[in-house]
Amino acid sequence: MTKLIIQIPCYNEEATLGETVAELPGSVPGIDSIELLVVDDGSTDNTVKVAKEAGVQHIVSHTRNMGLAQTFLTGVSACLDRGADIIVNTDADNQYKAEFIPALVKPIVDGRADVVIGARPIGEIEEFSPLKKHLQKLGSWVVRLASKTDIPDAPSGFRAFSRQAALKLNVFNDYTYTLETIIQAGQKNIPTVWVPVSTNKSRRPSRLVKSIPSYVKRSILTIVRIFAVYSPFRFFLFFGVALLMAGLLIGLRFLWFLWHGEGGGHVQSLILASILIGTGFQTCMVAFIADLLSVNRKLLEDLQFHQRKRSGNNNPRE
């Protein structure tokens, strides 16, 4: 028996949740049973009431608003506890067309992948500004670089996970889970593919994009943090080498003037070169230390995976 649970993170979604649930498929090839799970992230409207009236089997609630990343993790944990073999995550605003769920889970059912991302046609979405489209592409490029995957739409929240992949998930970012989970999949050698999907017209403004400046700032911070956490050696080594090269160039400039008898007027260059070379060397040392710490993190994640797996085996399926 293969159980699919479709999880829907919600925060004040009473206006669209009923329509979203109504369009979800009742059957999917290769799936024996489908259940729905709503994660109420501290909603202050009638989201929970609408979910119950729509026939949602499982409702998990936060007592206060925790944000998208934590809501996603709560949903994944709840799905695992309820015996999900495959988990599909979709938005409550009906952005993603539910008709693509069979295509989303097919690579997992066929045994070709453990994570599947629904890739939107970013260039064709009218609601996205040119700047947001470029930022989406930049974020996806960074994720491809860090994860060694070929996902063209990393910020997409329309995705499917096998039970095995879901047990390995961790999210350290408070802003969003989308970029980080793909990089984790790549770092942990979890087979990850993408399928093309279409979207419905947006029914409300994005909760993540409150303003373009805020979106740009948080996107940059997210990307930098992702590199620092999942590719610490390359991240710190890049800055270390850059500082070393800058210091060496300035030092060579000082030697040039010294060779021509003008070194006395360029002592500042010598001081700056010394500072840059010293800082660059220290940053390179940090790269090696960070790499050792990342090995420790991976070992802890392996222990966490086996603990979750044992706990899941002890929980009877509904």
Side-chain angles (χ1 to χ4, degrees), residues 137 139-153:
K137 291 178 180 179
S140 296
W141 175 79
V142 170
V143 170
R144 288 196 296 273
L145 188 64
S147 66
K148 299 179 182 179
T149 64
D150 63 347
I151 306 302
D153 182 19

Side-chain angles (χ1 to χ4, degrees), residues 126-144:
E126 297 178 358
E127 293 85 358
F128 285 6
S129 67
L131 178 58
K132 184 176 180 181
K133 290 178 181 179
H134 286 304
L135 287 172
Q136 297 273 34
K137 291 178 180 179
L138 174 62
S140 296
W141 175 79
V142 170
V143 170
R144 288 196 296 273

Side-chain angles (χ1 to χ4, degrees), residues 15-16 19-20 23 93-95 127 200-205:
T16 57
E19 179 183 343
T20 300
E23 294 189 6
D93 63 355
N94 204 29
Q95 175 190 167
E127 293 85 358
N200 296 309
K201 189 174 180 61
S202 178
R203 300 281 296 277
R204 59 164 173 77

Side-chain angles (χ1 to χ4, degrees), residues 43-78:
S43 297
T44 57
D45 64 357
N46 293 316
T47 293
V48 172
K49 179 181 178 182
V50 171
K52 291 178 179 178
E53 292 175 349
V56 173
Q57 291 93 337
H58 311 288
I59 300 174
V60 180
S61 296
H62 290 161
T63 55
R64 61 183 180 87
N65 183 253
M66 302 287 287
L68 181 59
Q70 185 57 53
T71 303
F72 169 79
L73 284 179
T74 297
V76 169
S77 178

Side-chain angles (χ1 to χ4, degrees), residues 90-278:
T90 190
D91 285 357
D93 63 355
N94 204 29
Q95 175 190 167
Y96 302 105
K97 291 187 176 180
E99 63 192 71
F100 286 95
I101 288 179
L104 202 64
V105 303
K106 190 175 189 305
I108 298 177
V109 171
D110 293 344
R112 295 186 289 110
D114 286 303
V115 178
V116 185
I117 310 297
R120 302 162 293 178
I122 297 296
E124 301 174 13
I125 300 178
E126 297 178 358
E127 293 85 358
F128 285 6
S129 67
L131 178 58
K132 184 176 180 181
K133 290 178 181 179
H134 286 304
L135 287 172
Q136 297 273 34
K137 291 178 180 179
L138 174 62
S140 296
W141 175 79
V142 170
V143 170
R144 288 196 296 273
L145 188 64
S147 66
K148 299 179 182 179
T149 64
D150 63 347
I151 306 302
D153 182 19
S156 170
F158 194 36
R159 48 185 64 190
F161 303 90
S162 69
R163 183 177 183 84
Q164 190 80 353
L167 286 168
K168 297 180 179 180
L169 286 180
N170 285 297
V171 178
F172 304 108
N173 189 290
D174 293 331
Y175 183 50
T176 181
Y177 62 89
T178 54
L179 309 184
E180 193 170 351
T181 48
I182 295 175
I183 292 176
Q184 276 192 44
Q187 293 280 337
K188 297 176 181 179
N189 295 316
I190 300 173
T192 304
V193 300
W194 62 276
V195 297
V197 300
S198 296
T199 57
N200 296 309
K201 189 174 180 61
S202 178
R203 300 281 296 277
R204 59 164 173 77
S206 171
R207 298 269 171 79
L208 286 178
V209 187
K210 296 180 179 179
S211 68
I212 292 299
S214 173
Y215 181 70
V216 171
K217 175 185 175 183
R218 302 198 74 165
S219 295
I220 291 174
L221 289 175
T222 298
I223 289 170
V224 170
R225 187 177 182 186
I226 283 171
F227 257 120
V229 171
Y230 292 101
S231 297
F233 184 77
R234 284 192 293 170
F235 179 82
F236 288 105
L237 190 65
F238 170 80
F239 287 105
V241 171
L243 291 169
L244 281 173
M245 293 300 297
L248 288 173
L249 289 173
I250 294 174
L252 289 173
R253 177 177 178 271
F254 171 78
L255 291 176
W256 170 266
F257 285 111
L258 182 65
W259 179 263
H260 289 83
E262 302 177 15
H266 297 276
V267 177
Q268 298 90 339
S269 296
L270 179 60
I271 295 173
L272 179 59
S274 300
I275 293 173
L276 289 174
I277 291 173

